[in-house]
Amino acid sequence: MTVPGDTYTHGHQDSVLRSHRSRTAENSAAYLLPRLRSGGTLLDVGCGPGTITCDLAERVAPGEVLGIDAEAGVVNEASVLARERGVGNVVFRAGDFRSLEREGLHFDVVHAHQMLQHLREPVDALRGMARLTAPGGTIAARDSDYSAMTWAPADGRIDRWLDVYLAVTRHNGAEADAGRHLLRWAHEAGLADVVYSTSTWTFATPDACAWWGDVWADRVVRSSLAEQAQMYGVATPGELEEIAAGWREWSRQPHAVFVVQHGEVLARPPD
C-alpha cells in the first residue's frame, strides 16, 4: 500500500502477487501471534491479496478485522479469498488507511507487513497507525532489509539486481533497508513499549530456490520495478534480461541458499 506522493516500487502484476500470495501469518507475522486474542479487533494496513489478513482474522475470530490497500484489484482478490476460505469476520476496503481516522475507528491491533519500506514518510505512517490503535493496543510492523540479504553461490548478476533495486527505491524516496531502521522510526514516532526483533525467510531447498529464483526472474523483467528501472535510466532491457538469467541459473545450483532478513517492531500507542 502507498499513499499520495509515494511510488510503489513493485507494482501489482502477477509476477509480484505470486510472491505476496505465499505469505502467511506463520511465515510473515509470527512475532505478532502471541499478542493476538480471540475477540480482538485488527486492522491490516497494506493488506495486498489478503493471505496474511485472513490468517490473522482466523486467530482473532469472532473479532472483526479490516484489511485496507490502495490498490482496488488486490482488495477484490482478497475479498474473494476470504469468501473461498469461509473467513466471515474480515472485510476488505480500497483506500488510504489514514482516512479511517475521520471515521473514529480504533483497533486492538494495527499491523503492516513490508509497507513502511515503500513510503517517503514512514515515521508519519507509524504515528497514523498509532492513532488508529486503541489505548493499550498493539502496533506491529515488519519490513525487509535488502542490503542485508545474503545468497550463495555468488553471482554478479544478482549483485547487479540489488544495485538496481536500491537505485530505484532511492529514486522513489523510499528506504529499501527499512528493517534495520524500524526501531529508530518507532522511537521517533513516539511509540511506547517498543520491542524490536528479527526473523528471516530462508530458501535452501531445490524446490524453494527454484520458486524464489523464478519469482524474481519474472519480476525483474515484468513488473513496475522493471518499468521504473528503465524509466529512471538505472538499467536497460538487456541488462534486466541478464539479471533474470542470473536468477534462473542461481536457482538451479545444488547448494543454493537465499536469506531475506526482516526487522520487526511491536509497540503501544503513546499515552
Side-chain angles (χ1 to χ4, degrees):
M1 174 180 182
T2 54
V3 296
D6 296 311
T7 302
Y8 186 40
T9 298
H10 296 298
H12 295 92
Q13 294 88 351
D14 191 65
S15 59
V16 176
L17 295 180
R18 284 169 56 204
S19 173
H20 291 183
R21 294 180 189 118
S22 72
R23 299 173 181 179
T24 67
E26 287 72 20
N27 68 30
S28 299
Y31 72 108
L32 171 60
L33 298 184
R35 295 278 187 110
L36 302 182
R37 62 176 179 82
S38 175
T41 59
L42 185 145
L43 171 65
D44 193 13
V45 178
C47 63
T51 52
I52 299 174
T53 323
C54 286
D55 282 353
L56 296 177
E58 290 175 337
R59 298 276 184 150
V60 302
E64 296 182 354
V65 173
L66 173 63
I68 190 166
D69 198 286
E71 174 60 34
V74 294
V75 168
N76 291 337
E77 179 175 329
S79 297
V80 170
L81 176 68
R83 288 196 298 271
E84 290 176 345
R85 287 179 50 171
V87 184
N89 63 321
V90 62
V91 173
F92 292 96
R93 182 190 299 189
D96 179 346
F97 79 96
R98 294 174 300 184
S99 68
L100 301 175
E101 293 181 45
R102 296 191 291 272
E103 301 178 35
L105 298 178
H106 291 90
F107 301 84
D108 295 314
V109 176
V110 178
H111 164 264
H113 184 267
Q114 291 193 0
M115 188 267 289
L116 296 174
Q117 64 186 275
H118 298 293
L119 305 185
R120 290 178 176 270
E121 301 293 341
V123 174
D124 285 347
L126 282 170
R127 292 189 184 114
M129 291 170 65
R131 289 192 293 270
L132 290 164
T133 306
T138 296
I139 302 138
R142 183 177 193 251
D143 270 277
S144 52
D145 185 328
Y146 273 76
S147 294
M149 293 182 187
T150 304
W151 58 88
D155 191 307
R157 293 166 293 186
I158 301 182
D159 294 341
R160 176 60 177 148
W161 159 79
L162 181 57
D163 290 342
V164 168
Y165 188 88
L166 294 176
V168 170
T169 54
R170 283 194 294 268
H171 194 284
N172 289 337
E175 178 52 80
D177 298 338
R180 69 183 66 181
H181 299 294
L182 287 180
L183 181 61
R184 173 173 61 84
W185 291 348
H187 287 155
E188 290 178 0
L191 306 186
D193 300 327
V194 181
V195 177
Y196 181 83
S197 59
T198 61
S199 62
T200 66
W201 290 336
T202 301
F203 303 92
T205 66
D207 287 346
C209 290
W211 179 81
W212 186 243
D214 187 61
V215 161
W216 270 109
D218 200 12
R219 286 168 75 167
V220 82
V221 294
R222 281 184 289 275
S223 71
S224 294
L225 169 64
E227 295 166 2
Q228 292 164 26
Q230 295 172 68
M231 180 171 60
Y232 301 157
V234 172
T236 66
E239 287 180 290
L240 296 177
E241 291 287 353
E242 280 294 311
I243 292 170
W247 272 108
R248 291 195 171 94
E249 186 171 331
W250 165 84
S251 73
R252 293 192 293 267
Q253 302 307 306
H255 306 297
V257 172
F258 200 103
V259 180
V260 180
Q261 179 80 11
H262 292 84
E264 306 152 343
V265 288
L266 293 168
R268 306 289 187 190
D271 295 331

